[in-house]
């Protein structure tokens, strides 16, 4: 334990405290933080604060308790702040990944819509109309048959042929079939 001598100057007292406690404080902070860099930084901060307040060293009754309490508090504050910063970074990373995924998804959907429109232009006008009435306007086969004055079976055949053609068209362009069917049958 450190004993303060009234005959020493504040600079001398600081030097004695520094030499006595620097390794012990570093080891204590290292034990809590598990980071040599953090231990070094906090130990330096403690002694910088002590140097700035060196004139008041004589008023500290228990320098050992004072220094270790300061080390503990600074270390816990540092860890709490680092944890908050890490959480903010994780949140930002997740937001960026979500944004990137949304952008990639939008690009994929845009490409698929473009290819789907290309496929639709290659259908006969009657099949394209049946497909559009079914998929884009939400009409069922019976409603389409009534509107176009066709039999229900003819509408069904047009839809089967249109879907078959679109599926083959997209497969030839390396579009994943399962992705296609999810979009087509929603």
């Amino acid at each position: 334990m450190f004993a303060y001598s009234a005959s020493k100057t504040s600079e001398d007292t600081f030097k004695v405290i520094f030499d006595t406690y620097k390794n012990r404080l570093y080891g204590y902070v290292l034990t809590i933080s598990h980071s040599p860099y953090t231990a070094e930084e906090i130990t330096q901060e403690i002694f910088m604060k002590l140097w700035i307040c060196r004139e008041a060293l004589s008023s500290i009754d228990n320098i050992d308790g004072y220094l270790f309490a300061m080390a503990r508090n600074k270390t816990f504050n540092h860890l709490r702040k680092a944890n908050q910063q890490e959480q903010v970074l994780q949140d930002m990373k997740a937001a960026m990944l979500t944004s990137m995924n949304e952008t990639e998804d939008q690009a994929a959907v845009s490409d698929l819509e473009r290819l789907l429109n290309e496929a639709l232009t290659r259908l006969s006008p009657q099949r394209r109309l049946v497909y559009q009435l079914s998929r884009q306007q939400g009409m069922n086969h019976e409603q389409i048959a009534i509107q176009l004055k066709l039999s229900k079976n003819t509408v069904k055949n047009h839809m089967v042929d249109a879907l078959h053609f679109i599926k083959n068209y997209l497969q030839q362009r390396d579009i994943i079939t399962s992705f296609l069917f999810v979009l087509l049958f929603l």
Side-chain angles (χ1 to χ4, degrees), residues 17-36:
I17 293 172
F18 179 81
D19 290 339
T20 304
Y21 287 99
K22 68 179 177 185
N23 291 334
R24 290 176 54 204
L25 287 174
Y26 173 84
Y28 178 70
V29 174
L30 181 61
T31 301
I32 298 171
S33 70
H34 305 290
S35 167

Side-chain angles (χ1 to χ4, degrees), residues 116-137:
L116 181 59
N117 286 332
E118 285 177 17
L120 290 175
T121 62
R122 288 177 166 71
L123 291 173
S124 69
Q126 187 75 12
R127 275 198 188 128
R128 183 178 333 122
L129 182 57
V130 169
Y131 176 87
Q132 289 171 331
L133 291 173
S134 172
R135 294 298 189 253
Q136 294 171 349
Q137 293 186 19

Side-chain angles (χ1 to χ4, degrees), residues 56-87:
L57 287 175
S58 61
S59 65
I60 300 172
D61 293 331
N62 180 359
I63 193 75
D64 193 67
Y66 179 81
L67 290 174
F68 283 96
M70 188 187 304
R72 182 192 67 237
N73 293 340
K74 282 191 174 292
T75 304
F76 287 147
N77 287 340
H78 173 82
L79 293 174
R80 211 175 356 266
K81 185 177 178 182
N83 190 34
Q84 289 171 343
Q85 289 173 341
E86 180 63 28
Q87 186 60 48

Side-chain angles (χ1 to χ4, degrees), residues 9 17 31-32 45 50-51 73 82 85 89 93 95 129 145 155 164 177 183-184:
T9 66
I17 293 172
T31 301
I32 298 171
E45 284 179 30
L50 213 54
W51 175 255
N73 293 340
Q85 289 173 341
L89 288 174
K93 183 179 176 183
L129 182 57
V155 170
H164 182 71
T177 306
L183 290 176
L184 288 177

Side-chain angles (χ1 to χ4, degrees), residues 107-171:
V109 167
S110 179
D111 286 345
L112 183 60
E113 286 175 349
R114 180 183 53 79
L115 288 171
L116 181 59
N117 286 332
E118 285 177 17
L120 290 175
T121 62
R122 288 177 166 71
L123 291 173
S124 69
Q126 187 75 12
R127 275 198 188 128
R128 183 178 333 122
L129 182 57
V130 169
Y131 176 87
Q132 289 171 331
L133 291 173
S134 172
R135 294 298 189 253
Q136 294 171 349
Q137 293 186 19
M139 295 174 73
N140 64 33
H141 291 180
E142 188 174 337
Q143 293 169 324
I144 296 169
I146 292 169
Q147 182 172 337
L148 299 179
K149 297 180 175 110
L150 300 171
S151 75
K152 205 167 146 183
N153 275 344
T154 302
V155 170
K156 180 181 174 185
N157 290 337
H158 278 310
M159 277 304 297
V160 168
D161 290 343
L163 291 173
H164 182 71
F165 176 80
I166 293 168
K167 175 185 169 190
N168 288 336
Y169 186 84
L170 295 175
Q171 280 180 330

